[in-house]
Amino acid sequence: MFNKESIPFAPMLIESMRSLGYSFQSAIADLIDNSISAGATRIDIRLLPTENPYLIILDNGCGMNSSEIEEAMRYGSKNPLDERKKDDLGRFGLGLKSASLSQCRKLTVVSKKDNTMSSYSWDLDYIAQQEAWLLQGYSKEEINELPEINLLDGIKNGTYILLQNFDRIKESTNDLNTTLTKSMDDTIEHLSLVFHRFLTSGLDIYVNNSKIEDKDPFLLTNKKTQFKREQKFSINGSNITVKPYILPHISALTKEDIKKVGGKERLRNEQGFYVYRNKRLIIWGTWFKLGRKEELSKLARVKVDIPNDLDYMWNIDIKKSSAKLPDIIKRNLYNCVEQSIFSSENVHKYRGRKEANKDISYIWERNNIRGEIEYKINRDIPQLKLLQESLNDKELKVLESLLEKLEESLPINALYVDACNGKVKDDNSNDTEELYADVMEQIEYAKIQGMDYKMLLKAFLKTEPYCNNKELTKKIQEVLENE
Ligand SMILES: Nc1ncnc2c1ncn2[C@@H]1O[C@H](COP(=O)(O)OP(=O)(O)O)[C@@H](O)[C@H]1O
Ligand SMILES: [Mg+2]
């Protein structure tokens, strides 16, 4: 037997490595991963419309010296099987090159370390021409000619990544700058979600000097977000933590919240697991076929933290945009899914449950008749009691017929669809003064009718929406005590 080294034909392989399936945003996110792993606390992305647009990613991480850049530029610079530092977001030793060159034809890396700048680039046209894996290195003078290279001036250690010649995007549009700007807007959205946990713990990312805000998918700033007990399980000695959150009902979301979750539609579509590898969001908005995307679970989101030492188990792909969760992890997650679906169902459960709380009378009663549900207007609410006392038989018949017609014509299908789309206006008045005036007006009328108005007041105390307003019930109680 003898050996024969077989070197890949550079122009072919480097071209085919461009087609790993990176999108513009996933490519940028991969470069941001590198900056984070390098310990950066500030990352600047620069993309301004020019005749030959370029994109810069600048970080203040540890930087690289000349031989480190050389090594970083090599395809497969690290063995994916090597043990990584705990907080390393890298994996295959391919991201820097394959992400960058998936979008453009020239990647230049300038890095500053120990006050020395070094630089190398991969230029696909040069490789095609030379038919060899030839990096191009730059002298100090040549580095100084790079666009906005003075950005590195204020930084002690750091890295400047320059992408030029966006051939693929160019081919897809007749207005390169507009398309790039639009892609950058989408990228900002993507980064604000994918790196949201870094953005609230010491990392700032700027795009053309404007800071990216974090997009927390669990809406933790909203006090009505509920969370369930955090659970941990161990796989081959590594801990996975699972924490279910239930977002507030759509009527309790602020405009800001709705913007954070990307609109009402995404609130529903992006229910499910949010899987983080080293705090970086990898996959989100899926139940991994463990549960169905139900309308009722749309408020449930489950945070799953997986350390990078379990990479070998879950087939993470080069772009880090998909990953297959092993069955053993799925099985462990199952309980949490059940629980969160169940709980978020609670948030949505119809307000008028008769069986729910016997001490409250609901305007709408939900009756379960051998598995079939019917909704009826509760005839015992104080307003109806009052009318029953004051109307004559003929008028009562009209009233009863009206109530029946209302019950029969409840637009259930439209309500269901609208509620699922979060479009039902929830403008129940909770204003104490208004509710109080409403109650007292009816009590005055009951007095005129010679009714037992104290009974009626007590009935109001138990009826929605009055019973939900603590201030109001206190006021009614005071009236009762003073009578
Ligand atoms: N912004 C950066 N700052 C410092 N070092 C970097 C930076 N980007 C890349 N590197 C170095 O280059 C190596 C190769 O990066 P990359 O091709 O993305 O593969 P991976 O991230 O999987 O290691 C990294 O492991 C790191 O050592
Ligand atoms: Mg990387």
Side-chain angles (χ1 to χ4, degrees):
M1 192 173 73
F2 62 95
N3 293 335
K4 181 96 180 72
E5 195 175 7
S6 170
I7 299 170
F9 183 51
M12 278 301 287
L13 192 65
I14 209 162
E15 274 293 338
S16 44
M17 287 300 286
R18 306 185 70 195
S19 304
L20 289 168
Y22 275 102
S23 62
F24 187 80
Q25 58 195 38
S26 63
I28 307 275
D30 224 354
L31 297 173
I32 302 284
D33 277 345
N34 286 342
S35 299
I36 294 175
S37 299
T41 56
R42 178 176 172 133
I43 299 168
D44 276 277
I45 302 174
R46 314 268 313 161
L47 174 70
L48 296 166
T50 53
E51 198 182 334
N52 290 311
Y54 56 84
L55 187 144
I56 295 172
I57 296 178
L58 173 83
D59 70 53
N60 65 352
C62 60
M64 292 174 273
N65 60 31
S66 175
S67 60
E68 284 166 336
I69 304 182
E70 211 182 305
E71 181 60 19
M73 289 296 250
R74 196 155 62 93
Y75 277 77
S77 53
K78 285 207 172 148
N79 183 339
L81 301 177
D82 282 352
E83 204 171 298
R84 291 263 181 171
K85 273 200 334 212
K86 279 252 173 291
D87 56 356
D88 195 341
L89 295 173
R91 177 86 199 115
F92 293 97
L94 287 172
L96 171 63
K97 311 52 95 165
S98 58
S100 306
L101 296 172
S102 71
Q103 303 301 312
C104 69
R105 296 192 67 79
K106 186 170 182 184
L107 154 70
T108 306
V109 177
V110 182
S111 204
K112 196 170 170 184
K113 194 173 189 179
D114 306 325
N115 259 325
T116 312
M117 287 216 273
S118 333
S119 176
Y120 280 101
S121 64
W122 278 125
D123 182 338
L124 296 182
D125 294 331
Y126 188 68
I127 290 179
Q129 188 194 15
Q130 298 293 318
E131 300 188 349
W133 295 96
L134 288 179
L135 279 172
Q136 289 171 290
Y138 298 102
S139 67
K140 207 173 159 193
E141 290 70 31
E142 285 164 326
I143 293 174
N144 280 331
E145 279 172 21
L146 295 170
E148 299 186 68
I149 191 66
N150 56 346
L151 286 168
L152 267 173
D153 288 353
I155 293 173
K156 198 160 164 262
N157 297 315
T159 302
Y160 158 112
I161 309 274
L162 172 69
L163 310 187
Q164 286 169 299
N165 193 355
F166 295 91
D167 60 335
R168 291 192 161 165
I169 304 176
K170 210 172 188 169
E171 280 161 19
S172 71
T173 173
N174 46 23
D175 187 347
L176 179 58
N177 276 310
T178 306
T179 306
L180 278 174
T181 307
K182 168 81 184 63
S183 305
M184 190 42 99
D185 288 343
D186 297 341
T187 305
I188 293 171
E189 289 265 302
H190 184 72
L191 301 180
S192 62
L193 177 64
V194 164
F195 296 107
H196 76 96
R197 290 167 75 179
F198 295 94
L199 292 171
T200 50
S201 56
L203 172 70
D204 291 329
I205 305 181
Y206 291 82
V207 175
N208 296 334
N209 291 330
S210 79
K211 193 169 158 182
I212 298 188
E213 295 299 331
D214 76 294
K215 232 177 169 188
D216 164 26
F218 310 110
L219 300 178
L220 292 184
T221 49
N222 189 316
K223 288 198 185 74
K224 290 196 171 146
T225 292
Q226 304 166 34
F227 45 88
K228 307 279 162 183
R229 193 171 56 86
E230 181 176 283
Q231 294 165 58
K232 276 197 171 74
F233 57 91
S234 175
I235 304 279
N236 295 350
S238 299
N239 274 337
I240 292 181
T241 47
V242 182
K243 188 161 174 123
Y245 292 89
I246 313 297
L247 302 194
H249 185 269
I250 189 137
S251 60
L253 297 185
T254 61
K255 268 197 185 136
E256 195 57 33
D257 288 338
I258 292 177
K259 208 174 132 204
K260 259 192 184 170
V261 293
K264 291 177 185 172
E265 186 57 22
R266 276 165 76 174
L267 188 66
R268 186 182 90 80
N269 289 339
E270 299 190 357
Q271 60 179 284
F273 291 107
Y274 281 68
V275 182
Y276 296 80
R277 170 178 176 264
N278 286 0
K279 298 204 169 76
R280 192 261 213 219
L281 189 57
I282 304 278
I283 330 166
W284 63 94
T286 168
W287 290 119
F288 296 117
K289 300 201 176 108
L290 293 172
R292 279 194 298 139
K293 273 205 176 184
E294 298 285 357
E295 297 301 341
L296 294 178
S297 62
K298 75 173 175 187
L299 301 174
R301 296 179 171 202
V302 183
K303 181 160 104 183
V304 181
D305 273 307
I306 306 188
N308 64 354
D309 45 16
L310 285 177
D311 281 357
Y312 67 94
M313 287 196 72
W314 59 310
N315 281 331
I316 187 162
D317 79 341
I318 291 175
K319 311 184 295 292
K320 305 188 192 89
S321 58
S322 75
K324 289 197 185 78
L325 212 63
D327 285 344
I328 184 168
I329 297 183
K330 281 188 190 171
R331 273 201 299 278
N332 278 290
L333 289 176
Y334 189 71
N335 289 341
C336 308
V337 175
E338 281 243 282
Q339 197 189 3
S340 23
I341 286 178
F342 173 68
S343 313
S344 83
E345 204 173 335
N346 280 342
V347 179
H348 273 264
K349 255 191 197 148
Y350 200 74
R351 287 205 171 117
R353 291 159 298 181
K354 197 180 184 184
E355 22 348 331
N357 186 342
K358 298 231 164 13
D359 289 327
I360 295 179
S361 36
Y362 299 97
I363 295 180
W364 283 95
E365 284 179 350
R366 179 181 185 269
N367 302 321
N368 189 334
I369 299 165
R370 284 181 295 281
E372 286 204 315
I373 309 295
E374 65 162 350
Y375 287 91
K376 291 276 176 201
I377 294 171
N378 182 358
R379 305 293 193 270
D380 289 326
I381 55 171
Q383 293 93 328
L384 283 179
K385 283 262 169 267
L386 186 54
L387 285 173
Q388 281 155 15
E389 287 289 325
S390 51
L391 300 180
N392 64 33
D393 282 353
K394 240 182 170 174
E395 289 163 331
L396 270 178
K397 264 198 172 152
V398 177
L399 175 66
E400 184 54 34
S401 146
L402 170 67
L403 294 177
E404 278 170 18
K405 287 288 163 293
L406 285 175
E407 290 164 343
E408 281 163 25
S409 63
L410 193 66
I412 293 181
N413 292 335
L415 256 177
Y416 178 78
V417 171
D418 291 339
C420 291
N421 290 325
K423 283 191 174 153
V424 179
K425 198 169 163 197
D426 192 355
D427 58 0
N428 291 339
S429 164
N430 287 318
D431 179 41
T432 312
E433 290 312 323
E434 229 174 277
L435 290 174
Y436 182 69
D438 174 24
V439 171
M440 292 322 283
E441 197 181 328
Q442 296 182 65
I443 293 300
E444 283 314 312
Y445 186 55
K447 281 182 183 169
I448 293 167
Q449 294 295 320
M451 269 178 77
D452 184 352
Y453 64 90
K454 282 194 182 175
M455 281 293 288
L456 208 62
L457 265 178
K458 282 181 192 154
F460 271 114
L461 279 177
K462 287 187 185 175
T463 305
E464 274 198 323
Y466 312 94
C467 64
N468 297 332
N469 184 322
K470 287 225 164 62
E471 232 180 296
L472 177 76
T473 52
K474 214 174 128 202
K475 272 182 110 161
I476 296 180
Q477 227 120 32
E478 280 168 13
V479 175
L480 270 171
E481 281 159 21
N482 293 334
E483 285 294 333

